[in-house]
């Protein structure tokens, strides 16, 4: 251990976003160390639940395969999920739920995903998005009316935002609700691709209301009300057993008391639900990766070629190691984000987006590599790889596509930096030539930026760290300054029009992703070392590997901000889009 550095006491700063601070060149140690432990109550509940879930799901793998082919989930199976309390995971005890924290909830979805993704989705769409709005924005009356039935699973919930013309551009929904004289609303429109659409009794619906208070409003709508209907089960590429349908509203009368949150603030409600729900998806992705690692290690040891187990070959071992690094990194980020949300941090939306993007990309890499290790067997439907690969594909598409989330990560960080840049220009003209004068009059960002320009104030992690972790920490200390400089430079070059430079935004987002995920991995390895955990040395090694890889990616991204072929790439895309075909042939 390096004993020269001071130790931070880890007092969480709830009003700060750790990820947004990275854009200012700051590693907020208080929000990084110590790595959060599962709360005692959750740990006790999880202990028995995890075993019960395994007992219930482990012997159903043949059924899952069949339900995937047939694209349905039998009612008796859903009843089994109800009986296990899996629809009441995050609902407060006073309404009959288990009141698990976000962290424990993500752990449950991790467990179910190790068996079957469609099962996770039925439970997850209900809790993470279907009825989450009631928890976050519901008033006492709404909670009393609905949460007990939602906790028991007598009512299953679904989240109805997407429409044929409103996917990523969720604010452009056309479903509309018109206010009646008696205060009720008449709702009409059609939603598409709604998870649990065909089995839900309660829908959280977003519709255009065009009131002076705002354009969109959220409503809680019962499936049994006149005018509510759903379409057939969609025939999908993956998660085929999970119910996905259209949901239509034909002049549905919605009582005034079923407005969720404030009239006109529906977009805010939708975004809060999605931001809050992303740890469920992340937990599911981690569960899938753990299952893939189990399958791949067994396969690599059992399969013999050239007189040896294929596990002895470097190119197979490399895949196993990479899957483990990715899984540990994703897990470290997902549970850090869950901790932020559980601790009441006011803004963890960028961290949540980072964990979702990283975990969903990571499971797809893992599914690809696991299939490659199993090779011919991996391609056969008799084995689970192809289903896991198909099931994992959705994770980078729904709850915000990974493209939209990367843009969100970059622009959210840049926005705050931009706001502070304005402060610089309005406070003093040439702060970088006269930093001392500026210290008295400038805000926090300008002080930091000025300090950096004069060679002081580089980010340092003060906590005592294992020597190998200290080396890893130096990488993040270096690149967090690079990130802040790059954010600053991009904003000075493009100003507000940075929003038009998506290639650059992607690089900035990937820098933030590598940094946040890497630092979560560092924090977790540090906690395991301190606890003398038997696998602490493995965690340190994983952190080192991740950091070396992240170092290479971050260096590339920094360099590509100024040395790239963006213009040529854009031109080429334009040419191909114009002719709508590949423009060459060899004959
Ligand atoms: C199986 C399944 C279940 C679903 N469950 C639900 C549910 O329960 N509730 C619900 O409301 N919705 C649900 N959805 C909808 C899902 O959230 C949307 O599919 C998703 O938001 C993307 O919208 P889209 O498919 O219309 O893609 P589009 O928005 O049309 O995007 C197409 C492509 O363009 C990219 N793109 C779009 N805009 C931009 C931009 N500004 N910059 C750069 N790239 C851009 C996207 O990243 C994507 O690659 C589900 C979808 C599926 C497939």
């Amino acid at each position: 251990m390096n004993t020269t550095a001071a130790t931070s006491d880890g007092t969480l700063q709830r009003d700060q976003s750790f990820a947004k601070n990275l854009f200012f060149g700051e590693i907020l140690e208080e929000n990084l160390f110590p790595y959060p432990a599962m709360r005692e109550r959750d740990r006790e509940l999880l202990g028995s639940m995890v075993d019960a879930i395994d007992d219930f799901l482990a012997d159903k793998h043949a059924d899952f395969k069949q339900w995937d082919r047939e694209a349905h989930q039998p009612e008796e199976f859903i009843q089994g999920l109800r009986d296990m309390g899996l629809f009441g995971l995050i609902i407060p005890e006073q309404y009959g739920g288990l009141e698990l924290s976000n962290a424990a909830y993500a752990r449950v979805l991790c467990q179910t995903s190790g068996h079957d993704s469609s099962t996770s989705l039925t439970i997850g769409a209900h809790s993470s998005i279907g009825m989450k709005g009631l928890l976050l924005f519901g008033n006492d009356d709404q909670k009393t009316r609905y949460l007990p039935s939602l906790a028991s699973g007598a009512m299953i919930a679904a989240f109805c935002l997407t429409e044929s013309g409103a996917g990523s551009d969720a604010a452009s929904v056309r479903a509309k609700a018109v206010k009646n004289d008696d205060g009720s609303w008449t709702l009409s429109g059609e939603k598409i691709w709604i998870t649990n659409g065909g089995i839900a009794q309660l829908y959280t619906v977003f519709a255009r209301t065009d009131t002076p208070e705002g354009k969109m409003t959220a409503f809680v709508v019962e499936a049994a009300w006149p005018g509510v209907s759903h379409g057939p089960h969609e025939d999908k590429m993956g998660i085929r057993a999970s119910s996905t349908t259209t949901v239509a509203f034909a002049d549905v009368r919605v009582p005034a008391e079923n407005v969720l949150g404030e009239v006109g603030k529906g977009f805010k409600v939708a975004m809060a639900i999605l931001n809050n729900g992303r740890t469920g998806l992340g937990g599911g992705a981690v569960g899938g990766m753990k299952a893939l690692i189990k399958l791949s290690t067994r396969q690599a040891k059992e399969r013999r070629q050239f007189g040896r187990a294929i596990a002895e070959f470097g190119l197979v071992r490399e895949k196993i190691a990479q899957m483990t690094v990715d899984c540990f990194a994703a897990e470290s980020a997902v549970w850090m984000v869950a901790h932020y949300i559980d601790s009441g941090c006011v803004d963890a939306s960028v961290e949540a987006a980072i964990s979702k993007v990283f975990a969903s990309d990571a499971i797809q890499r893992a599914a690809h590599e696991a299939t490659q290790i199993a090779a011919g067997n991996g391609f056969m439907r008799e084995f689970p790889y192809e289903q896991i690969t198909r099931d994992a594909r959705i994770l980078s598409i729904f709850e915000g596509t990974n493209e939209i989330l990367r843009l969100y990560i970059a622009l959210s960080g840049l926005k705050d930096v931009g706001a502070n840049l304005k402060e610089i220009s309005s406070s003093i003209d040439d702060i970088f030539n006269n930093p001392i004068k500026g210290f008295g009059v400038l805000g926090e960002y300008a002080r930091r930026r000025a300090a950096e320009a004069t060679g002081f104030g580089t980010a340092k992690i003060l906590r005592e760290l294992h020597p190998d972790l200290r080396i890893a920490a130096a990488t993040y200390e270096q690149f967090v300054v690079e990130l802040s400089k790059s954010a600053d430079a991009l904003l000075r070059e493009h100003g507000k029009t940075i929003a038009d430079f998506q290639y650059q935004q992607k690089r900035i987002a990937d820098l933030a992703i590598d940094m946040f995920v890497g630092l979560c991995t560092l924090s977790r390895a540090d906690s395991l070392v301190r606890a003398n955990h038997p696998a602490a040395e493995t965690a340190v090694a994983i952190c080192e590997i991740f950091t070396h890889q992240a170092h290479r990616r971050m260096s590339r991204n920094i360099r590509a901000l100024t040395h790239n072929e963006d213009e040529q790439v854009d031109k080429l895309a334009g040419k191909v889009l114009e002719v709508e075909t590949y423009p060459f042939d060899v004959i």
Side-chain angles (χ1 to χ4, degrees), residues 159 161-162 167-168 193 195 394 397-398 401 403-404 407 502:
F159 176 84
L161 178 62
T162 304
S168 299
W193 304 329
T195 306
I394 189 62
I397 295 174
F398 66 11
T401 68
E403 288 79 19
I404 293 293
L407 302 179
Q502 293 200 341

Side-chain angles (χ1 to χ4, degrees), residues 292-305 308-311 316 320 369-378 383-385:
L292 286 165
I293 290 169
K294 234 184 218 169
L295 283 166
S296 296
T297 46
R298 282 194 209 135
Q299 172 72 14
K301 282 161 80 176
E302 279 166 18
R303 175 68 175 163
R304 295 180 70 80
Q305 287 293 281
R308 288 194 271 168
I310 60 167
V316 172
I320 303 268
E369 294 296 45
T371 305
Q372 195 66 17
I373 290 172
N377 280 344
F383 295 90
Y385 304 95

